[in-house]
Amino acid sequence: MDMSLPAAAGSKMKLVMVGNGMAGMRTLEELLKAAPGMYDITVFGDEPHPNYNRIMLSPVLAGEQTVEQIVLNSRDWYAENGITLHTGKKVAKIDRRARCVETDSGTRAPYDRLLLATGSRPFVLPVPGARLPGVLGFRDIADVEAMIRASTESRHAVVIGGGLLGLEAANGLKLRGMDVSVVHIGAWLLERQLDEPAARLLQQSLEEKGLRFLLQKHTAELVQGESGRVCAVKFKDGETIPADLVVMAVGIRPNTELAESAGLHCNRGLVVNDTMQTFDPRIYAVGECVSHRGIAYGLVAPLFEQAKVCANHLAEHGVARYIGSMTSTRLKVSGIDLFSAGDFTGGEGTESLVYSDAAAGSYKKLVIKGNKLVGACIYGETLDGAWYFDLLREGTDISQLRKNILFGQSHLGDAGHGPAERVAALPDTAEICGCNGVCKGDIVSAIRDKKLFTLDEVRAHTKASASCGSCTGLVEALLAHTAGGDYSAAPSKKPLCGCTEHSHDEVRATIVEQKLKTMADTMRFLEWKTPDGCGKCRPALNYYLLCAWPTGYWDDAQSRYINERAHGNIQKDGSFSVVPRMWGGLTNPQELRAIADVAEKFKVPEMKVTGGQRIDLFGVKKEDLPAMWADLAAAGFVSGHAYGKAMRTVKTCVGSTWCRFGTQDSTGLGVKLEQLTWGSWMPHKFKLAVSGCPRNCAEATIKDFGVVCVDSGYELHVGGNGGIKVRVTDLLCKVETEAQVLEYCAAFTQLYREEAHYLERTAPWVERVGLAHVKAKVVDDAASRKALAERFLVSQKPAQVDPWKARAEGEARHEFTPIAAFV
Amino acid sequence: MNMSHNWVEIGRVDEIPRQGARVITTATGDIAIFRTAADEVFALADKCPHKGGPLSQGIVHGRRVACPLHDWKINLETGIAAAPDEGCAARYPVRVADGMVSLSLIE
């Protein structure tokens, strides 16, 4: 029997949610998307408000936003989605046997599934006077309203706790005109987010805003005044300061009383498994009340990840798992930028790179362990935070970046983005994402209108930062500014795509280990969630299978992008461009005449010499392609693969044959390299070049594999890129003979083919695995090099068949002819 | 059956590659005719609602096609772009009988 598809509306399953906050409501929104109408839903919230953006309480306190502006789901929204909402009602009891909850006012609601999203509450210091009138937490709208009221009636505010929340409260109260002191037990502020030098800079700029700090102070007592309200804070050292308002911000505690009273297992939070289920399988839990693998999260992005997983299981799709998040921190105080992630304290076995300019208010500390970034702490210029967070999360080998890493990503050669400016000050028309042409105004209105909280959501809706990613820091700053999201949490493992939970590396390894030889077998064995994959995983699987079984895999044309299926480059008007191969960039009158004839015969509207020294014929109609290729094949041309994730071109300079500086025959070597590598399918496009001397006219040091000839032999360079992120190659080694160049080239190419992720160029691949790894496999170990080169040659045998000639002779004719025509 | 349909035979199902598409040229623009992995057949105007990309050239997966120009996902059954993108490609009624595909040009 299928419980998910009840026969009549009356027999719908009942879902009750306790807690009306962000994590719980996000779960319901995801559930309504995944399985609309599957449940009768009832929500209980003990606050009198519908769901609002709790992160934005700081700007409300600071007077920058209103309560109305931070409401996320209006009461109308609940009604439109058929959700019964009870606000201002506290659920007092869960009867698990009868499957029913009961509020303290006696309202009962039966459930088939129960979702607990009870959140957390401020920790109250166990000191005398902690419950006096005038002592508040900083947790909900009622707290903020009480603080705003106090700010109009009284003068002295004391905030206990110098963490993120405490500083935001202090900043808001100061802006409301109060005289604010921050009491902190630690030696410096934000000790969980900052090291001491960064915290000192922060303290200094907060002092310039008028805040006062009392560090290493232990609160002994909150003193009651004549009015019955709090009037002072007394410390253990005897000092007393006046206080008309005290805000406790020393930490939060998960609200687990209700769960505990129902006998659910709790341990510093309500314990859930990877499917967000508690020990009672009918009861799920998400949000700040939850303890997952021993961690209770307090930031929005991980909670939204939990929401997505929980909704998937409530919808009975049963395929998602939450495996924890890595988080980073920012502070929401206008004009103050700080960022931290990972282990930024350092210690034994780690090294620290530090940049400090106190006068400019700028400080950066990066902690490195074994060539990997393990922590970052930045005060001042934080736009590179996202980049550091990526390096950290991906475990990138940074040995090649060490010299410049402190200066940020822009110092590594991004094209076309210029110096980062303060986003808040930019006009709405300012272009943020150059790749996809997205302006600040577009992003801000999408964040507001669509209620976006995470970087991934902004990417999906606006395409900003979805291509090269170099504007990620700017987009994150916009998110922080607009929604207050702590956007940069991310899953600790990246699946290949939405169809699977396995990473690229796991998929590749499984194909080889399990000898999976077809796409269907691979999807079946790895339990793909979709019947036939998607536009992201199918091309990747096709390549991985082709690479693993070069002679035993039947290439799946329908899993290739159109450029590779039609063997031309699709242009924006749907026409194609055609680039015949010209070995090493060499040509002759007969070849040029043949190209000219073809261009005239097929009325090619435009021709151009490409960056890779080939001739490109633009604007060819798809149905003309086979006939054009037949003519080109007759003149001796083969496909230039200018359209594929494949070996593209070998660019050369003239070399010793003509050039007075040339040291070797660079053109001749270029032709040999191109004959060796043409036709090879790759994880991404792959370009080579050979320069005849260190003047490097063929620009070999920004190629995937570049050769620079010198008097005594050949320098081999790898991992270069001339695209959005310019990357100069790393020197792999120097060799003496042309035969060695060819062998090293074959071995390097094959290592890249076997190890890189699909759509990963050599530049990020070399950065990810480290040059040392490449050297170990290709240079230091001769047996490994020979084996790699041999495997490359084996894979080249079936690959070096001209796809153009085959199609001119009738292969895949359906690709080029209409099935029917009506006039 | 709706009598206002004007069914025209256009070819056999097996002339369309599985997980692929073929093009029908007409005086008013191309129509893409898709065949899914499950051998369902659908027809849409061969024009992505985003920037007019030829949908027939995209990767077909499930009941969707990914536009080759900017990777919008278009539902083959409804012509509607998958959220968060917004737009819709025109649909044409299709029927398959004895392996022969017919299309109605009136919609």
Side-chain angles (χ1 to χ4, degrees):
Chain A
M1 197 177 73
D2 190 353
M3 282 181 61
S4 67
L5 296 168
S11 65
K12 262 191 196 177
M13 286 203 288
K14 291 184 172 57
L15 172 67
V16 171
M17 181 165 90
V18 181
N20 186 23
M22 293 171 74
M25 286 310 298
R26 183 58 160 228
T27 311
L28 292 191
E29 288 184 331
E30 296 277 358
L31 174 63
L32 290 171
K33 264 191 266 167
M38 182 169 165
Y39 289 97
D40 273 330
I41 303 174
T42 306
V43 175
F44 289 93
D46 54 9
E47 285 189 67
H49 311 279
N51 178 37
Y52 61 89
N53 184 348
R54 206 178 291 281
I55 316 168
M56 291 310 260
L57 286 174
S58 295
V60 171
L61 177 61
E64 293 159 2
Q65 296 219 11
T66 64
V67 169
E68 291 70 40
Q69 282 175 320
I70 67 167
V71 168
L72 290 172
N73 300 83
S74 65
R75 285 179 189 276
D76 290 345
W77 182 90
Y78 291 84
E80 280 159 22
N81 287 282
I83 296 173
T84 311
L85 173 65
H86 297 280
T87 51
K89 284 190 187 174
K90 191 174 169 62
V91 171
K93 194 179 143 196
I94 302 169
D95 184 338
R96 285 168 54 197
R97 197 159 293 165
R99 298 212 303 268
C100 155
V101 301
E102 192 177 323
T103 68
D104 49 9
S105 56
T107 311
R108 288 169 63 88
Y111 67 83
D112 295 297
R113 297 282 181 275
L114 178 64
L115 175 57
L116 297 177
T118 48
S120 64
R121 62 172 183 283
F123 177 67
V124 178
L125 284 179
V127 294
R131 303 282 176 188
L132 285 175
V135 181
L136 298 170
F138 183 24
R139 173 68 194 169
D140 54 30
I141 288 180
D143 291 333
V144 170
E145 284 171 344
M147 282 191 235
I148 293 174
R149 217 162 34 241
S151 72
T152 61
E153 293 163 357
S154 51
R155 221 179 112 204
H156 299 288
V158 174
V159 176
I160 304 181
L164 286 171
L165 210 56
L167 294 182
E168 287 176 16
N171 178 61
L173 292 168
K174 179 74 209 169
L175 289 171
R176 292 271 173 190
M178 292 191 83
D179 170 53
V180 185
S181 303
V182 177
V183 176
H184 190 54
I185 200 163
W188 64 84
L189 299 172
L190 290 180
E191 73 267 20
R192 286 173 61 190
Q193 286 85 17
L194 296 179
D195 66 353
E196 189 172 356
R200 294 280 170 231
L201 286 174
L202 169 68
Q203 186 178 338
Q204 196 185 326
S205 54
L206 289 173
E207 279 168 352
E208 282 162 15
K209 285 172 175 273
L211 296 179
R212 205 166 38 245
F213 292 94
L214 296 133
L215 299 179
Q216 289 176 293
K217 282 281 195 188
H218 294 253
T219 305
E221 184 189 345
L222 305 184
V223 185
Q224 189 168 22
E226 282 171 14
S227 63
R229 291 174 57 91
V230 69
C231 73
V233 178
K234 193 171 171 186
F235 300 108
K236 281 190 182 157
D237 61 10
E239 192 186 344
T240 301
I241 57 168
D244 308 311
L245 170 71
V246 173
V247 178
M248 291 254 193
V250 290
I252 55 170
R253 289 290 176 274
N255 286 324
T256 55
E257 290 73 12
L258 178 66
E260 279 175 74
S261 73
L264 295 170
H265 176 50
C266 295
N267 182 10
R268 293 182 185 184
L270 174 51
V271 176
V272 294
N273 62 15
D274 288 356
T275 62
M276 306 315 293
Q277 236 165 357
T278 67
F279 276 58
D280 179 336
R282 289 182 184 275
I283 305 181
Y284 290 78
V286 292
E288 289 187 322
C289 63
V290 154
S291 169
H292 172 265
R293 298 193 184 181
I295 300 176
Y297 294 93
L299 299 173
V300 142
L303 303 189
F304 281 8
E305 273 184 61
Q306 295 178 353
K308 209 168 192 169
V309 172
C310 184
N312 184 291
H313 289 279
L314 285 171
E316 295 184 347
H317 292 177
V319 285
R321 278 171 71 213
Y322 180 66
I323 52 174
S325 305
M326 262 180 115
T327 55
S328 62
T329 310
R330 289 177 196 239
L331 181 69
K332 288 181 293 298
V333 170
S334 323
I336 290 182
D337 289 321
L338 62 85
F339 170 90
S340 77
D343 168 23
F344 57 84
T345 345
E348 210 164 306
T350 66
E351 306 165 76
S352 296
L353 303 179
V354 178
Y355 171 90
S356 174
D357 183 346
S362 185
Y363 175 85
K364 262 187 203 182
K365 176 177 172 186
L366 302 177
V367 178
I368 294 167
K369 192 173 182 180
N371 286 335
K372 286 180 181 165
L373 192 63
V374 295
C377 168
I378 313 172
Y379 182 83
E381 284 290 316
T382 57
L383 281 174
D384 281 308
W387 182 56
Y388 294 129
F389 190 56
D390 268 351
L391 294 176
L392 203 148
R393 200 176 61 212
E394 313 249 317
T396 308
D397 183 321
I398 57 144
S399 45
Q400 300 300 312
L401 307 173
R402 265 186 84 127
K403 271 191 210 151
N404 293 313
I405 191 168
L406 270 177
F407 301 104
Q409 195 177 18
S410 54
H411 286 263
L412 297 174
D414 280 1
H417 292 281
E421 292 172 64
R422 299 234 160 206
V423 282
L426 292 175
D428 276 354
T429 51
E431 187 175 76
I432 300 292
C433 172
C435 297
N436 296 306
V438 191
C439 297
K440 178 186 165 186
D442 303 338
I443 299 173
V444 170
S445 56
I447 294 171
R448 282 219 182 97
D449 302 346
K450 312 256 159 107
K451 293 186 283 186
L452 312 182
F453 281 92
T454 65
L455 183 60
D456 281 343
E457 289 172 344
V458 176
R459 283 179 178 157
H461 280 83
T462 66
K463 312 284 185 261
S465 146
S467 296
C468 81
S470 59
C471 63
T472 301
L474 291 171
V475 175
E476 291 199 333
L478 278 178
L479 252 174
H481 190 250
T482 316
D486 35 48
Y487 29 77
S488 48
S492 23
K493 184 178 96 179
K494 251 192 204 160
L496 195 157
C497 70
C499 302
T500 178
E501 278 169 30
H502 300 289
S503 67
H504 282 270
D505 289 331
E506 288 168 343
V507 170
R508 290 204 86 160
T510 310
I511 286 174
V512 175
E513 280 160 20
Q514 299 296 328
K515 303 201 162 40
L516 302 172
K517 301 212 171 172
T518 67
M519 199 170 300
D521 285 350
T522 310
M523 288 181 176
R524 208 172 303 126
F525 188 86
L526 289 167
E527 297 179 329
W528 236 243
K529 298 178 203 167
T530 48
D532 62 342
C534 69
K536 211 170 162 189
C537 60
R538 286 233 309 270
L541 288 179
N542 190 54
Y543 169 73
Y544 292 157
L545 287 159
L546 194 68
C547 180
W549 320 113
T551 54
Y553 174 68
W554 190 259
D555 194 284
D556 177 17
Q558 299 315 128
S559 295
R560 283 190 177 270
Y561 296 119
I562 180 60
N563 284 358
E564 296 183 356
R565 212 161 64 227
H567 291 277
N569 256 335
I570 194 165
Q571 303 296 325
K572 65 181 199 182
D573 62 353
S575 72
F576 285 79
S577 82
V578 169
V579 183
R581 192 167 290 289
M582 292 184 347
W583 307 92
L586 289 174
T587 186
N588 56 45
Q590 179 217 334
E591 277 189 1
L592 290 175
R593 202 171 288 126
I595 290 179
D597 288 345
V598 163
E600 278 181 350
K601 179 169 166 189
F602 293 94
K603 301 194 172 59
V604 168
E606 187 159 289
M607 295 172 70
K608 187 188 175 305
V609 176
T610 71
Q613 301 180 334
R614 306 298 136 97
I615 291 173
D616 202 338
L617 302 122
F618 285 95
V620 183
K621 287 197 219 70
K622 196 182 182 192
E623 54 269 31
D624 284 344
L625 289 172
M628 187 181 212
W629 292 337
D631 286 4
L632 287 169
F637 285 106
V638 299
S639 165
H641 289 91
Y643 44 79
K645 313 298 174 202
M647 203 297 279
R648 293 286 181 87
T649 57
V650 181
K651 186 173 181 174
T652 63
C653 70
V654 290
S656 57
T657 323
W658 301 99
C659 177
R660 64 200 163 100
F661 298 115
T663 60
Q664 310 280 356
D665 176 15
S666 48
T667 39
L669 180 56
V671 171
K672 285 178 197 155
L673 281 169
E674 191 150 352
Q675 281 166 346
L676 171 75
T677 53
W678 82 277
S680 171
W681 296 111
M682 300 275 189
H684 208 308
K685 58 186 174 186
F686 190 89
K687 299 176 178 179
L688 294 84
V690 186
S691 281
C693 79
R695 284 166 193 79
N696 194 11
C697 295
E699 296 156 350
T701 47
I702 51 163
K703 295 288 183 263
D704 295 281
F705 185 87
V707 181
V708 176
C709 302
V710 290
D711 260 336
S712 55
Y714 307 84
E715 286 176 7
L716 307 182
H717 299 260
V718 297
N721 195 328
I724 295 168
K725 288 190 179 88
V726 180
R727 184 182 194 272
V728 173
T729 45
D730 298 310
L731 178 63
L732 183 69
C733 63
K734 210 179 121 186
V735 296
E736 285 165 12
T737 66
E738 278 195 351
Q740 284 176 310
V741 175
L742 294 174
E743 181 182 297
Y744 280 69
C745 175
F748 172 78
T749 308
Q750 185 65 9
L751 188 68
Y752 168 62
R753 295 182 78 237
E754 290 177 2
E755 291 193 350
H757 300 165
Y758 192 63
L759 298 187
E760 183 178 42
R761 291 284 304 263
T762 56
W765 170 65
V766 168
E767 283 181 6
R768 183 166 61 82
V769 301
L771 182 67
H773 167 75
V774 178
K775 277 187 171 166
K777 297 268 181 170
V778 176
V779 183
D780 305 339
D781 181 346
S784 155
R785 177 173 64 245
K786 288 208 159 39
L788 280 165
E790 233 158 71
R791 289 206 292 280
F792 182 66
L793 294 181
V794 168
S795 74
Q796 280 298 78
K797 244 178 227 154
Q800 292 193 328
V801 176
D802 180 23
W804 285 0
K805 185 151 179 272
R807 274 145 194 82
E809 288 165 357
E811 190 177 318
R813 188 184 297 277
H814 64 79
E815 190 66 60
F816 304 96
T817 47
I819 189 169
F822 299 112
V823 210
Chain B
M1 172 156 314
N2 189 336
M3 295 309 288
S4 68
H5 281 310
N6 173 22
W7 294 106
V8 189
E9 287 191 350
I10 53 146
R12 302 194 58 78
V13 175
D14 51 25
E15 292 175 71
I16 311 168
R18 208 170 258 156
Q19 297 178 307
R22 294 289 297 272
V23 173
I24 303 161
T25 55
T26 79
T28 51
D30 289 356
I31 297 169
I33 184 139
F34 301 90
R35 177 181 173 193
T36 66
D39 285 341
E40 298 167 301
V41 178
F42 299 101
L44 296 176
D46 196 11
K47 219 173 155 183
C48 181
H50 179 217
K51 297 208 168 163
L55 296 174
S56 58
Q57 316 293 298
I59 290 183
V60 176
H61 53 100
R63 282 187 174 174
R64 281 180 174 186
V65 62
C67 176
L69 292 197
H70 304 95
D71 203 30
W72 276 36
K73 314 285 189 302
I74 308 296
N75 185 310
L76 297 176
E77 211 180 351
T78 62
I80 296 171
D85 299 322
E86 288 169 13
C88 187
R91 289 175 310 156
Y92 293 88
V94 176
R95 66 174 187 192
V96 182
D98 297 328
M100 181 58 75
V101 182
S102 303
L103 180 84
S104 171
L105 292 174
I106 299 168
E107 161 88 317

